[in-house]
Amino acid sequence: QVQVVESGGGTVQVGGSLRLSCTASGYRYTSGSMAWFRQAPGKEREGVASVYTGITYYSPSARGRFTVTQQNPENGVYVLSLEMSSLKPDDTAVYYCAAVLGGAGFWNSANHWRSWGQGTQVTVSS
């Protein structure tokens, strides 16, 4: 059974920094691809950053401010981190971690991922 768990959300002031972490386990024979998405109230879930088939990708809004890193898997546990800096009020959202590729699409398509964490709230206050 695949488990995906996020941690590290919270409230931060404009311009501040925050680090999110995600662990995924319970699956094998995978490229190890993982991704961060976010969803703000009334908006669709959008891709933020990903380590996808060994290549790092960022959304235009994340590039230059966020850094995604992935640790080498250990004992079948995959870890993906997201270091966020220069945070803006528009970054306020629930951030989700995705793992295990599924349907068609690219890293920033929610339908492309099978397993999701429960989400962690990030609030940027002005």
PDB file of all heavy atoms in Angstrom, residues 40-81:
ATOM      1  N   ALA A  40      -5.084  26.451  -4.263  1.00  0.00           N
ATOM      2  CA  ALA A  40      -5.632  27.568  -3.508  1.00  0.00           C
ATOM      3  C   ALA A  40      -7.151  27.504  -3.580  1.00  0.00           C
ATOM      4  O   ALA A  40      -7.709  26.899  -4.505  1.00  0.00           O
ATOM      5  CB  ALA A  40      -5.120  28.882  -4.087  1.00  0.00           C
ATOM      6  N   PRO A  41      -7.847  28.119  -2.627  1.00  0.00           N
ATOM      7  CA  PRO A  41      -9.313  28.093  -2.635  1.00  0.00           C
ATOM      8  C   PRO A  41      -9.876  28.602  -3.957  1.00  0.00           C
ATOM      9  O   PRO A  41      -9.478  29.659  -4.446  1.00  0.00           O
ATOM     10  CB  PRO A  41      -9.682  29.020  -1.474  1.00  0.00           C
ATOM     11  CG  PRO A  41      -8.518  28.959  -0.556  1.00  0.00           C
ATOM     12  CD  PRO A  41      -7.318  28.826  -1.446  1.00  0.00           C
ATOM     13  N   GLY A  42     -10.783  27.830  -4.539  1.00  0.00           N
ATOM     14  CA  GLY A  42     -11.425  28.230  -5.774  1.00  0.00           C
ATOM     15  C   GLY A  42     -10.593  28.053  -7.027  1.00  0.00           C
ATOM     16  O   GLY A  42     -11.018  28.441  -8.113  1.00  0.00           O
ATOM     17  N   LYS A  43      -9.405  27.469  -6.887  1.00  0.00           N
ATOM     18  CA  LYS A  43      -8.527  27.286  -8.043  1.00  0.00           C
ATOM     19  C   LYS A  43      -8.226  25.810  -8.254  1.00  0.00           C
ATOM     20  O   LYS A  43      -8.399  24.993  -7.358  1.00  0.00           O
ATOM     21  CB  LYS A  43      -7.225  28.061  -7.848  1.00  0.00           C
ATOM     22  CG  LYS A  43      -7.401  29.567  -7.821  1.00  0.00           C
ATOM     23  CD  LYS A  43      -6.060  30.270  -7.825  1.00  0.00           C
ATOM     24  CE  LYS A  43      -6.224  31.781  -7.890  1.00  0.00           C
ATOM     25  NZ  LYS A  43      -4.910  32.474  -7.937  1.00  0.00           N
ATOM     26  N   GLU A  44      -7.768  25.499  -9.460  1.00  0.00           N
ATOM     27  CA  GLU A  44      -7.394  24.122  -9.764  1.00  0.00           C
ATOM     28  C   GLU A  44      -6.038  23.787  -9.136  1.00  0.00           C
ATOM     29  O   GLU A  44      -5.230  24.675  -8.866  1.00  0.00           O
ATOM     30  CB  GLU A  44      -7.326  23.932 -11.283  1.00  0.00           C
ATOM     31  CG  GLU A  44      -8.673  23.990 -11.982  1.00  0.00           C
ATOM     32  CD  GLU A  44      -8.593  23.586 -13.433  1.00  0.00           C
ATOM     33  OE1 GLU A  44      -7.483  23.270 -13.897  1.00  0.00           O
ATOM     34  OE2 GLU A  44      -9.635  23.585 -14.100  1.00  0.00           O
ATOM     35  N   ARG A  45      -5.831  22.501  -8.949  1.00  0.00           N
ATOM     36  CA  ARG A  45      -4.536  22.051  -8.464  1.00  0.00           C
ATOM     37  C   ARG A  45      -3.484  22.273  -9.550  1.00  0.00           C
ATOM     38  O   ARG A  45      -3.695  21.898 -10.705  1.00  0.00           O
ATOM     39  CB  ARG A  45      -4.621  20.572  -8.077  1.00  0.00           C
ATOM     40  CG  ARG A  45      -3.439  20.062  -7.298  1.00  0.00           C
ATOM     41  CD  ARG A  45      -3.722  18.684  -6.723  1.00  0.00           C
ATOM     42  NE  ARG A  45      -4.811  18.711  -5.748  1.00  0.00           N
ATOM     43  CZ  ARG A  45      -5.101  17.697  -4.938  1.00  0.00           C
ATOM     44  NH1 ARG A  45      -4.372  16.583  -4.994  1.00  0.00           N
ATOM     45  NH2 ARG A  45      -6.111  17.784  -4.108  1.00  0.00           N
ATOM     46  N   GLU A  46      -2.366  22.870  -9.163  1.00  0.00           N
ATOM     47  CA  GLU A  46      -1.332  23.183 -10.146  1.00  0.00           C
ATOM     48  C   GLU A  46       0.018  22.613  -9.732  1.00  0.00           C
ATOM     49  O   GLU A  46       0.347  22.573  -8.531  1.00  0.00           O
ATOM     50  CB  GLU A  46      -1.209  24.696 -10.344  1.00  0.00           C
ATOM     51  CG  GLU A  46      -0.769  25.460  -9.115  1.00  0.00           C
ATOM     52  CD  GLU A  46      -0.437  26.912  -9.394  1.00  0.00           C
ATOM     53  OE1 GLU A  46      -0.402  27.314 -10.573  1.00  0.00           O
ATOM     54  OE2 GLU A  46      -0.181  27.645  -8.417  1.00  0.00           O
ATOM     55  N   GLY A  47       0.782  22.201 -10.718  1.00  0.00           N
ATOM     56  CA  GLY A  47       2.116  21.698 -10.453  1.00  0.00           C
ATOM     57  C   GLY A  47       3.051  22.814 -10.051  1.00  0.00           C
ATOM     58  O   GLY A  47       3.023  23.897 -10.641  1.00  0.00           O
ATOM     59  N   VAL A  48       3.881  22.548  -9.055  1.00  0.00           N
ATOM     60  CA  VAL A  48       4.818  23.541  -8.555  1.00  0.00           C
ATOM     61  C   VAL A  48       6.252  23.164  -8.932  1.00  0.00           C
ATOM     62  O   VAL A  48       6.997  23.973  -9.485  1.00  0.00           O
ATOM     63  CB  VAL A  48       4.701  23.680  -7.027  1.00  0.00           C
ATOM     64  CG1 VAL A  48       5.761  24.643  -6.493  1.00  0.00           C
ATOM     65  CG2 VAL A  48       3.303  24.143  -6.634  1.00  0.00           C
ATOM     66  N   ALA A  49       6.638  21.921  -8.625  1.00  0.00           N
ATOM     67  CA  ALA A  49       8.000  21.477  -8.902  1.00  0.00           C
ATOM     68  C   ALA A  49       8.029  19.961  -8.867  1.00  0.00           C
ATOM     69  O   ALA A  49       7.195  19.323  -8.219  1.00  0.00           O
ATOM     70  CB  ALA A  49       8.977  22.058  -7.885  1.00  0.00           C
ATOM     71  N   SER A  50       9.014  19.402  -9.539  1.00  0.00           N
ATOM     72  CA  SER A  50       9.077  17.950  -9.607  1.00  0.00           C
ATOM     73  C   SER A  50      10.487  17.467  -9.922  1.00  0.00           C
ATOM     74  O   SER A  50      11.263  18.163 -10.591  1.00  0.00           O
ATOM     75  CB  SER A  50       8.115  17.453 -10.684  1.00  0.00           C
ATOM     76  OG  SER A  50       8.189  16.050 -10.844  1.00  0.00           O
ATOM     77  N   VAL A  51      10.800  16.309  -9.401  1.00  0.00           N
ATOM     78  CA  VAL A  51      11.929  15.529  -9.908  1.00  0.00           C
ATOM     79  C   VAL A  51      11.284  14.403 -10.700  1.00  0.00           C
ATOM     80  O   VAL A  51      10.681  13.492 -10.116  1.00  0.00           O
ATOM     81  CB  VAL A  51      12.827  14.992  -8.783  1.00  0.00           C
ATOM     82  CG1 VAL A  51      13.939  14.128  -9.384  1.00  0.00           C
ATOM     83  CG2 VAL A  51      13.423  16.148  -7.994  1.00  0.00           C
ATOM     84  N   TYR A  52      11.368  14.505 -12.006  1.00  0.00           N
ATOM     85  CA  TYR A  52      10.579  13.672 -12.915  1.00  0.00           C
ATOM     86  C   TYR A  52      11.523  12.922 -13.836  1.00  0.00           C
ATOM     87  O   TYR A  52      12.234  13.552 -14.623  1.00  0.00           O
ATOM     88  CB  TYR A  52       9.623  14.567 -13.691  1.00  0.00           C
ATOM     89  CG  TYR A  52       8.677  13.868 -14.633  1.00  0.00           C
ATOM     90  CD1 TYR A  52       7.596  13.139 -14.165  1.00  0.00           C
ATOM     91  CD2 TYR A  52       8.858  13.961 -16.006  1.00  0.00           C
ATOM     92  CE1 TYR A  52       6.720  12.515 -15.030  1.00  0.00           C
ATOM     93  CE2 TYR A  52       8.002  13.334 -16.882  1.00  0.00           C
ATOM     94  CZ  TYR A  52       6.932  12.608 -16.387  1.00  0.00           C
ATOM     95  OH  TYR A  52       6.062  11.986 -17.242  1.00  0.00           O
ATOM     96  N   THR A  53      11.564  11.641 -13.720  1.00  0.00           N
ATOM     97  CA  THR A  53      12.504  10.781 -14.462  1.00  0.00           C
ATOM     98  C   THR A  53      13.915  11.331 -14.391  1.00  0.00           C
ATOM     99  O   THR A  53      14.634  11.378 -15.398  1.00  0.00           O
ATOM    100  CB  THR A  53      12.067  10.597 -15.925  1.00  0.00           C
ATOM    101  OG1 THR A  53      12.061  11.866 -16.584  1.00  0.00           O
ATOM    102  CG2 THR A  53      10.686   9.975 -15.994  1.00  0.00           C
ATOM    103  N   GLY A  54      14.283  11.804 -13.210  1.00  0.00           N
ATOM    104  CA  GLY A  54      15.636  12.270 -12.966  1.00  0.00           C
ATOM    105  C   GLY A  54      15.910  13.721 -13.325  1.00  0.00           C
ATOM    106  O   GLY A  54      17.009  14.232 -13.087  1.00  0.00           O
ATOM    107  N   ILE A  55      14.907  14.395 -13.880  1.00  0.00           N
ATOM    108  CA  ILE A  55      15.079  15.787 -14.286  1.00  0.00           C
ATOM    109  C   ILE A  55      14.218  16.674 -13.391  1.00  0.00           C
ATOM    110  O   ILE A  55      13.096  16.315 -13.023  1.00  0.00           O
ATOM    111  CB  ILE A  55      14.680  15.974 -15.762  1.00  0.00           C
ATOM    112  CG1 ILE A  55      15.559  15.090 -16.649  1.00  0.00           C
ATOM    113  CG2 ILE A  55      14.802  17.434 -16.185  1.00  0.00           C
ATOM    114  CD1 ILE A  55      15.131  15.053 -18.105  1.00  0.00           C
ATOM    115  N   THR A  56      14.743  17.829 -13.045  1.00  0.00           N
ATOM    116  CA  THR A  56      14.035  18.769 -12.180  1.00  0.00           C
ATOM    117  C   THR A  56      13.238  19.761 -13.021  1.00  0.00           C
ATOM    118  O   THR A  56      13.760  20.322 -13.988  1.00  0.00           O
ATOM    119  CB  THR A  56      15.025  19.526 -11.294  1.00  0.00           C
ATOM    120  OG1 THR A  56      15.752  18.574 -10.488  1.00  0.00           O
ATOM    121  CG2 THR A  56      14.304  20.491 -10.369  1.00  0.00           C
ATOM    122  N   TYR A  57      11.987  19.952 -12.621  1.00  0.00           N
ATOM    123  CA  TYR A  57      11.112  20.887 -13.319  1.00  0.00           C
ATOM    124  C   TYR A  57      10.491  21.844 -12.314  1.00  0.00           C
ATOM    125  O   TYR A  57      10.231  21.476 -11.159  1.00  0.00           O
ATOM    126  CB  TYR A  57       9.988  20.141 -14.047  1.00  0.00           C
ATOM    127  CG  TYR A  57      10.445  19.286 -15.194  1.00  0.00           C
ATOM    128  CD1 TYR A  57      10.747  17.934 -14.998  1.00  0.00           C
ATOM    129  CD2 TYR A  57      10.577  19.811 -16.476  1.00  0.00           C
ATOM    130  CE1 TYR A  57      11.160  17.143 -16.052  1.00  0.00           C
ATOM    131  CE2 TYR A  57      10.988  19.022 -17.543  1.00  0.00           C
ATOM    132  CZ  TYR A  57      11.280  17.684 -17.315  1.00  0.00           C
ATOM    133  OH  TYR A  57      11.700  16.898 -18.368  1.00  0.00           O
ATOM    134  N   TYR A  58      10.203  23.060 -12.789  1.00  0.00           N
ATOM    135  CA  TYR A  58       9.530  24.066 -11.966  1.00  0.00           C
ATOM    136  C   TYR A  58       8.446  24.761 -12.785  1.00  0.00           C
ATOM    137  O   TYR A  58       8.579  24.931 -13.993  1.00  0.00           O
ATOM    138  CB  TYR A  58      10.516  25.136 -11.483  1.00  0.00           C
ATOM    139  CG  TYR A  58      11.581  24.641 -10.546  1.00  0.00           C
ATOM    140  CD1 TYR A  58      12.840  24.273 -11.019  1.00  0.00           C
ATOM    141  CD2 TYR A  58      11.329  24.532  -9.178  1.00  0.00           C
ATOM    142  CE1 TYR A  58      13.822  23.808 -10.151  1.00  0.00           C
ATOM    143  CE2 TYR A  58      12.304  24.069  -8.309  1.00  0.00           C
ATOM    144  CZ  TYR A  58      13.550  23.713  -8.804  1.00  0.00           C
ATOM    145  OH  TYR A  58      14.519  23.247  -7.955  1.00  0.00           O
ATOM    146  N   SER A  59       7.415  25.190 -12.088  1.00  0.00           N
ATOM    147  CA  SER A  59       6.443  26.063 -12.737  1.00  0.00           C
ATOM    148  C   SER A  59       7.081  27.447 -12.881  1.00  0.00           C
ATOM    149  O   SER A  59       8.035  27.780 -12.157  1.00  0.00           O
ATOM    150  CB  SER A  59       5.180  26.170 -11.894  1.00  0.00           C
ATOM    151  OG  SER A  59       5.456  26.877 -10.690  1.00  0.00           O
ATOM    152  N   PRO A  60       6.573  28.273 -13.781  1.00  0.00           N
ATOM    153  CA  PRO A  60       7.133  29.620 -13.932  1.00  0.00           C
ATOM    154  C   PRO A  60       7.096  30.425 -12.635  1.00  0.00           C
ATOM    155  O   PRO A  60       8.031  31.175 -12.344  1.00  0.00           O
ATOM    156  CB  PRO A  60       6.234  30.254 -15.003  1.00  0.00           C
ATOM    157  CG  PRO A  60       5.760  29.093 -15.807  1.00  0.00           C
ATOM    158  CD  PRO A  60       5.571  27.982 -14.819  1.00  0.00           C
ATOM    159  N   SER A  61       6.058  30.245 -11.833  1.00  0.00           N
ATOM    160  CA  SER A  61       5.955  31.016 -10.590  1.00  0.00           C
ATOM    161  C   SER A  61       6.935  30.539  -9.528  1.00  0.00           C
ATOM    162  O   SER A  61       7.286  31.283  -8.617  1.00  0.00           O
ATOM    163  CB  SER A  61       4.526  30.952 -10.052  1.00  0.00           C
ATOM    164  OG  SER A  61       4.190  29.619  -9.714  1.00  0.00           O
ATOM    165  N   ALA A  62       7.368  29.295  -9.624  1.00  0.00           N
ATOM    166  CA  ALA A  62       8.275  28.727  -8.621  1.00  0.00           C
ATOM    167  C   ALA A  62       9.747  28.907  -8.993  1.00  0.00           C
ATOM    168  O   ALA A  62      10.614  28.965  -8.108  1.00  0.00           O
ATOM    169  CB  ALA A  62       7.981  27.247  -8.421  1.00  0.00           C
ATOM    170  N   ARG A  63      10.017  28.983 -10.270  1.00  0.00           N
ATOM    171  CA  ARG A  63      11.406  29.030 -10.728  1.00  0.00           C
ATOM    172  C   ARG A  63      12.105  30.262 -10.171  1.00  0.00           C
ATOM    173  O   ARG A  63      11.608  31.367 -10.225  1.00  0.00           O
ATOM    174  CB  ARG A  63      11.451  29.043 -12.253  1.00  0.00           C
ATOM    175  CG  ARG A  63      12.843  28.806 -12.830  1.00  0.00           C
ATOM    176  CD  ARG A  63      12.799  28.653 -14.338  1.00  0.00           C
ATOM    177  NE  ARG A  63      12.075  27.448 -14.718  1.00  0.00           N
ATOM    178  CZ  ARG A  63      10.940  27.463 -15.404  1.00  0.00           C
ATOM    179  NH1 ARG A  63      10.418  28.614 -15.787  1.00  0.00           N
ATOM    180  NH2 ARG A  63      10.349  26.337 -15.740  1.00  0.00           N
ATOM    181  N   GLY A  64      13.292  30.026  -9.606  1.00  0.00           N
ATOM    182  CA  GLY A  64      14.071  31.117  -9.041  1.00  0.00           C
ATOM    183  C   GLY A  64      13.802  31.371  -7.577  1.00  0.00           C
ATOM    184  O   GLY A  64      14.596  32.040  -6.906  1.00  0.00           O
ATOM    185  N   ARG A  65      12.687  30.872  -7.054  1.00  0.00           N
ATOM    186  CA  ARG A  65      12.351  31.073  -5.644  1.00  0.00           C
ATOM    187  C   ARG A  65      12.284  29.754  -4.874  1.00  0.00           C
ATOM    188  O   ARG A  65      12.531  29.719  -3.663  1.00  0.00           O
ATOM    189  CB  ARG A  65      11.005  31.788  -5.513  1.00  0.00           C
ATOM    190  CG  ARG A  65      10.954  33.166  -6.141  1.00  0.00           C
ATOM    191  CD  ARG A  65       9.636  33.863  -5.813  1.00  0.00           C
ATOM    192  NE  ARG A  65       8.478  33.115  -6.291  1.00  0.00           N
ATOM    193  CZ  ARG A  65       7.455  32.770  -5.530  1.00  0.00           C
ATOM    194  NH1 ARG A  65       7.441  33.084  -4.235  1.00  0.00           N
ATOM    195  NH2 ARG A  65       6.434  32.117  -6.050  1.00  0.00           N
ATOM    196  N   PHE A  66      11.913  28.690  -5.546  1.00  0.00           N
ATOM    197  CA  PHE A  66      11.760  27.388  -4.897  1.00  0.00           C
ATOM    198  C   PHE A  66      12.852  26.444  -5.390  1.00  0.00           C
ATOM    199  O   PHE A  66      13.297  26.538  -6.547  1.00  0.00           O
ATOM    200  CB  PHE A  66      10.407  26.765  -5.228  1.00  0.00           C
ATOM    201  CG  PHE A  66       9.214  27.505  -4.702  1.00  0.00           C
ATOM    202  CD1 PHE A  66       9.331  28.700  -3.990  1.00  0.00           C
ATOM    203  CD2 PHE A  66       7.929  27.007  -4.934  1.00  0.00           C
ATOM    204  CE1 PHE A  66       8.216  29.377  -3.516  1.00  0.00           C
ATOM    205  CE2 PHE A  66       6.807  27.670  -4.460  1.00  0.00           C
ATOM    206  CZ  PHE A  66       6.955  28.863  -3.758  1.00  0.00           C
ATOM    207  N   THR A  67      13.240  25.525  -4.526  1.00  0.00           N
ATOM    208  CA  THR A  67      14.214  24.504  -4.895  1.00  0.00           C
ATOM    209  C   THR A  67      13.680  23.144  -4.463  1.00  0.00           C
ATOM    210  O   THR A  67      13.364  22.943  -3.282  1.00  0.00           O
ATOM    211  CB  THR A  67      15.567  24.757  -4.225  1.00  0.00           C
ATOM    212  OG1 THR A  67      16.055  26.058  -4.601  1.00  0.00           O
ATOM    213  CG2 THR A  67      16.581  23.710  -4.657  1.00  0.00           C
ATOM    214  N   VAL A  68      13.600  22.229  -5.417  1.00  0.00           N
ATOM    215  CA  VAL A  68      13.129  20.873  -5.104  1.00  0.00           C
ATOM    216  C   VAL A  68      14.325  19.925  -5.133  1.00  0.00           C
ATOM    217  O   VAL A  68      15.175  20.010  -6.015  1.00  0.00           O
ATOM    218  CB  VAL A  68      12.038  20.426  -6.104  1.00  0.00           C
ATOM    219  CG1 VAL A  68      12.564  20.321  -7.519  1.00  0.00           C
ATOM    220  CG2 VAL A  68      11.405  19.103  -5.662  1.00  0.00           C
ATOM    221  N   THR A  69      14.401  19.073  -4.133  1.00  0.00           N
ATOM    222  CA  THR A  69      15.487  18.099  -4.066  1.00  0.00           C
ATOM    223  C   THR A  69      14.930  16.744  -3.663  1.00  0.00           C
ATOM    224  O   THR A  69      13.915  16.652  -2.961  1.00  0.00           O
ATOM    225  CB  THR A  69      16.554  18.522  -3.049  1.00  0.00           C
ATOM    226  OG1 THR A  69      15.946  18.750  -1.779  1.00  0.00           O
ATOM    227  CG2 THR A  69      17.280  19.775  -3.493  1.00  0.00           C
ATOM    228  N   GLN A  70      15.615  15.717  -4.100  1.00  0.00           N
ATOM    229  CA  GLN A  70      15.194  14.357  -3.781  1.00  0.00           C
ATOM    230  C   GLN A  70      16.382  13.581  -3.238  1.00  0.00           C
ATOM    231  O   GLN A  70      17.458  13.594  -3.826  1.00  0.00           O
ATOM    232  CB  GLN A  70      14.635  13.659  -5.014  1.00  0.00           C
ATOM    233  CG  GLN A  70      14.020  12.302  -4.728  1.00  0.00           C
ATOM    234  CD  GLN A  70      13.335  11.718  -5.943  1.00  0.00           C
ATOM    235  OE1 GLN A  70      13.853  11.800  -7.049  1.00  0.00           O
ATOM    236  NE2 GLN A  70      12.159  11.132  -5.741  1.00  0.00           N
ATOM    237  N   GLN A  71      16.161  12.907  -2.134  1.00  0.00           N
ATOM    238  CA  GLN A  71      17.200  12.074  -1.564  1.00  0.00           C
ATOM    239  C   GLN A  71      17.206  10.727  -2.271  1.00  0.00           C
ATOM    240  O   GLN A  71      16.181  10.292  -2.816  1.00  0.00           O
ATOM    241  CB  GLN A  71      16.952  11.855  -0.073  1.00  0.00           C
ATOM    242  CG  GLN A  71      17.002  13.106   0.764  1.00  0.00           C
ATOM    243  CD  GLN A  71      16.711  12.819   2.225  1.00  0.00           C
ATOM    244  OE1 GLN A  71      16.839  11.685   2.687  1.00  0.00           O
ATOM    245  NE2 GLN A  71      16.332  13.836   2.962  1.00  0.00           N
ATOM    246  N   ASN A  72      18.356  10.063  -2.260  1.00  0.00           N
ATOM    247  CA  ASN A  72      18.391   8.697  -2.765  1.00  0.00           C
ATOM    248  C   ASN A  72      17.468   7.827  -1.923  1.00  0.00           C
ATOM    249  O   ASN A  72      17.470   7.921  -0.695  1.00  0.00           O
ATOM    250  CB  ASN A  72      19.815   8.148  -2.711  1.00  0.00           C
ATOM    251  CG  ASN A  72      20.711   8.811  -3.723  1.00  0.00           C
ATOM    252  OD1 ASN A  72      20.274   9.184  -4.806  1.00  0.00           O
ATOM    253  ND2 ASN A  72      21.983   8.975  -3.378  1.00  0.00           N
ATOM    254  N   PRO A  73      16.685   6.980  -2.564  1.00  0.00           N
ATOM    255  CA  PRO A  73      15.757   6.140  -1.789  1.00  0.00           C
ATOM    256  C   PRO A  73      16.512   5.192  -0.867  1.00  0.00           C
ATOM    257  O   PRO A  73      17.576   4.684  -1.213  1.00  0.00           O
ATOM    258  CB  PRO A  73      14.989   5.370  -2.865  1.00  0.00           C
ATOM    259  CG  PRO A  73      15.838   5.437  -4.082  1.00  0.00           C
ATOM    260  CD  PRO A  73      16.592   6.726  -4.004  1.00  0.00           C
ATOM    261  N   GLU A  74      15.930   4.989   0.284  1.00  0.00           N
ATOM    262  CA  GLU A  74      16.530   4.117   1.286  1.00  0.00           C
ATOM    263  C   GLU A  74      15.456   3.210   1.846  1.00  0.00           C
ATOM    264  O   GLU A  74      14.419   3.694   2.323  1.00  0.00           O
ATOM    265  CB  GLU A  74      17.149   4.972   2.397  1.00  0.00           C
ATOM    266  CG  GLU A  74      18.258   4.294   3.154  1.00  0.00           C
ATOM    267  CD  GLU A  74      19.024   5.248   4.048  1.00  0.00           C
ATOM    268  OE1 GLU A  74      19.411   6.339   3.583  1.00  0.00           O
ATOM    269  OE2 GLU A  74      19.185   4.912   5.226  1.00  0.00           O
ATOM    270  N   ASN A  75      15.716   1.906   1.756  1.00  0.00           N
ATOM    271  CA  ASN A  75      14.737   0.936   2.259  1.00  0.00           C
ATOM    272  C   ASN A  75      13.341   1.170   1.672  1.00  0.00           C
ATOM    273  O   ASN A  75      12.330   1.016   2.371  1.00  0.00           O
ATOM    274  CB  ASN A  75      14.670   0.988   3.783  1.00  0.00           C
ATOM    275  CG  ASN A  75      15.987   0.577   4.416  1.00  0.00           C
ATOM    276  OD1 ASN A  75      16.677  -0.310   3.928  1.00  0.00           O
ATOM    277  ND2 ASN A  75      16.350   1.259   5.500  1.00  0.00           N
ATOM    278  N   GLY A  76      13.304   1.540   0.399  1.00  0.00           N
ATOM    279  CA  GLY A  76      12.027   1.704  -0.273  1.00  0.00           C
ATOM    280  C   GLY A  76      11.293   2.986   0.080  1.00  0.00           C
ATOM    281  O   GLY A  76      10.117   3.128  -0.262  1.00  0.00           O
ATOM    282  N   VAL A  77      11.954   3.909   0.762  1.00  0.00           N
ATOM    283  CA  VAL A  77      11.339   5.182   1.124  1.00  0.00           C
ATOM    284  C   VAL A  77      11.952   6.300   0.279  1.00  0.00           C
ATOM    285  O   VAL A  77      13.167   6.458   0.236  1.00  0.00           O
ATOM    286  CB  VAL A  77      11.543   5.494   2.613  1.00  0.00           C
ATOM    287  CG1 VAL A  77      10.930   6.857   2.955  1.00  0.00           C
ATOM    288  CG2 VAL A  77      10.913   4.413   3.476  1.00  0.00           C
ATOM    289  N   TYR A  78      11.083   7.032  -0.385  1.00  0.00           N
ATOM    290  CA  TYR A  78      11.500   8.144  -1.231  1.00  0.00           C
ATOM    291  C   TYR A  78      11.190   9.446  -0.509  1.00  0.00           C
ATOM    292  O   TYR A  78      10.111   9.592   0.082  1.00  0.00           O
ATOM    293  CB  TYR A  78      10.756   8.098  -2.567  1.00  0.00           C
ATOM    294  CG  TYR A  78      11.060   6.862  -3.377  1.00  0.00           C
ATOM    295  CD1 TYR A  78      10.414   5.662  -3.117  1.00  0.00           C
ATOM    296  CD2 TYR A  78      11.992   6.897  -4.404  1.00  0.00           C
ATOM    297  CE1 TYR A  78      10.702   4.529  -3.849  1.00  0.00           C
ATOM    298  CE2 TYR A  78      12.286   5.766  -5.147  1.00  0.00           C
ATOM    299  CZ  TYR A  78      11.635   4.580  -4.869  1.00  0.00           C
ATOM    300  OH  TYR A  78      11.926   3.458  -5.601  1.00  0.00           O
ATOM    301  N   VAL A  79      12.126  10.392  -0.581  1.00  0.00           N
ATOM    302  CA  VAL A  79      11.953  11.669   0.108  1.00  0.00           C
ATOM    303  C   VAL A  79      12.143  12.812  -0.877  1.00  0.00           C
ATOM    304  O   VAL A  79      13.148  12.877  -1.585  1.00  0.00           O
ATOM    305  CB  VAL A  79      12.949  11.806   1.273  1.00  0.00           C
ATOM    306  CG1 VAL A  79      12.752  13.156   1.975  1.00  0.00           C
ATOM    307  CG2 VAL A  79      12.774  10.670   2.277  1.00  0.00           C
ATOM    308  N   LEU A  80      11.162  13.699  -0.900  1.00  0.00           N
ATOM    309  CA  LEU A  80      11.214  14.881  -1.766  1.00  0.00           C
ATOM    310  C   LEU A  80      11.017  16.118  -0.908  1.00  0.00           C
ATOM    311  O   LEU A  80      10.083  16.172  -0.113  1.00  0.00           O
ATOM    312  CB  LEU A  80      10.116  14.816  -2.825  1.00  0.00           C
ATOM    313  CG  LEU A  80      10.175  15.876  -3.915  1.00  0.00           C
ATOM    314  CD1 LEU A  80      11.287  15.562  -4.902  1.00  0.00           C
ATOM    315  CD2 LEU A  80       8.828  15.966  -4.647  1.00  0.00           C
ATOM    316  N   SER A  81      11.895  17.091  -1.061  1.00  0.00           N
ATOM    317  CA  SER A  81      11.803  18.322  -0.284  1.00  0.00           C
ATOM    318  C   SER A  81      11.558  19.518  -1.196  1.00  0.00           C
ATOM    319  O   SER A  81      11.940  19.497  -2.362  1.00  0.00           O
ATOM    320  CB  SER A  81      13.081  18.545   0.521  1.00  0.00           C
ATOM    321  OG  SER A  81      13.308  17.480   1.413  1.00  0.00           O
TER     322      SER A  81
END
